Amino acid sequence: MGQGGEPRRPQPRDGELGAAVARAQDGDETAFATAYRIVQPGLLGYLRGIVGEDAEDVAADAWLEIVRDLGRFKGDGAGFRGWTATIARHRALDHLRRQRVRPRAAALEQDALELPGRHDTHDQALEALSTARALELVRGLPREQAEAVLLRVVVGLDGPAAARVLGKRPGAVRTAAHRGLKRLARNLRALEAGGEGVTDEGPRTLGGAG
């Protein structure tokens, strides 16, 4: 756990990713395929949380831009994750604007949705994020919380990198991720108890810049 109970998810393949990107920039197609295989699962999960069933189409558009601009990228493996996430986010927001999806309204009572008792089930929430059900629950979170959780947990960015993608301060992203995981864990508990979970009014996709 990091500051404020925020989970930290190490990315053991970032060294391999950085090396693959460097070779890809020299024209090594096999190395680019390696970089794609490392990055794509998290990127696709992030996009599913934003645009739902259109994620694969948006990811394809994002990768076209990534290929086009690869020579301009400067950084290591972790930096490449952040760079690709930024491109994917821009493509996702463009997609939502074309679909005329309005931004979700901010949810009420965010601070009241703390889990009871001493044990915060962050681990339960994190383990479940690989499932379609959990991603659907993430899409029901307030927008800032949902994007923070997706970038930190699904894409694997650290706080400062996620903040750069979102154009926000790291402290704000830490708080949003912490609250989002609290809320997600509460929803998972409700589902396990046979309930519907705590969701907010509004469309099931995220929209608007921010």
Side-chain angles (χ1 to χ4, degrees):
M1 290 290 181
Q3 182 178 355
E6 181 190 18
R8 294 193 180 278
R9 187 182 186 188
Q11 299 296 310
R13 301 191 70 184
D14 276 350
E16 179 186 358
L17 175 59
V21 170
R23 293 196 306 272
Q25 288 179 312
D26 289 334
D28 188 331
E29 294 183 3
T30 301
F32 182 83
T34 297
Y36 174 87
R37 285 195 299 271
I38 294 172
V39 171
Q40 173 69 352
L43 206 64
L44 192 59
Y46 172 56
L47 290 171
R48 283 179 179 142
I50 300 178
V51 300
E53 64 184 12
D54 294 329
E56 291 191 6
D57 289 341
V58 175
D61 289 341
W63 279 105
L64 287 175
E65 183 172 344
I66 292 164
V67 170
R68 185 193 71 194
D69 295 340
L70 183 62
R72 301 179 186 176
F73 170 74
K74 295 181 180 180
D76 57 10
F80 187 73
R81 288 184 192 275
W83 183 67
T84 56
T86 299
I87 291 173
R89 184 174 190 263
H90 289 163
R91 297 288 69 76
L93 295 180
D94 287 345
H95 175 80
L96 292 176
R97 291 186 190 103
R98 287 195 297 270
Q99 297 296 319
R100 298 183 179 179
V101 177
R102 294 182 178 181
R104 289 171 39 79
L108 300 177
E109 301 179 355
Q110 293 178 9
D111 294 334
L113 292 175
E114 300 294 310
L115 290 174
R118 296 174 56 191
H119 301 291
D120 298 336
T121 56
H122 278 133
D123 290 343
Q124 175 193 14
L126 297 179
E127 291 172 4
L129 273 172
S130 61
T131 69
R133 180 182 73 168
L135 283 173
E136 182 67 16
L137 287 176
V138 170
R139 291 171 61 202
L141 294 174
R143 177 185 164 209
E144 289 187 358
Q145 294 178 15
E147 285 210 76
V149 168
L150 290 165
L151 288 171
R152 292 302 320 277
V153 180
V154 179
V155 179
L157 302 184
D158 62 17
R164 286 192 293 271
V165 172
L166 297 174
K168 298 182 180 298
R169 291 179 297 180
V173 175
R174 280 196 298 269
T175 298
H178 180 68
R179 289 177 175 173
L181 285 170
K182 288 270 194 176
R183 195 181 190 100
L184 178 60
R186 178 186 175 98
N187 290 349
L188 289 169
R189 279 185 170 180
L191 285 173
E192 289 179 355
E196 295 295 329
V198 179
T199 56
D200 305 308
E201 297 295 331
R204 303 294 291 177
T205 52
L206 308 176

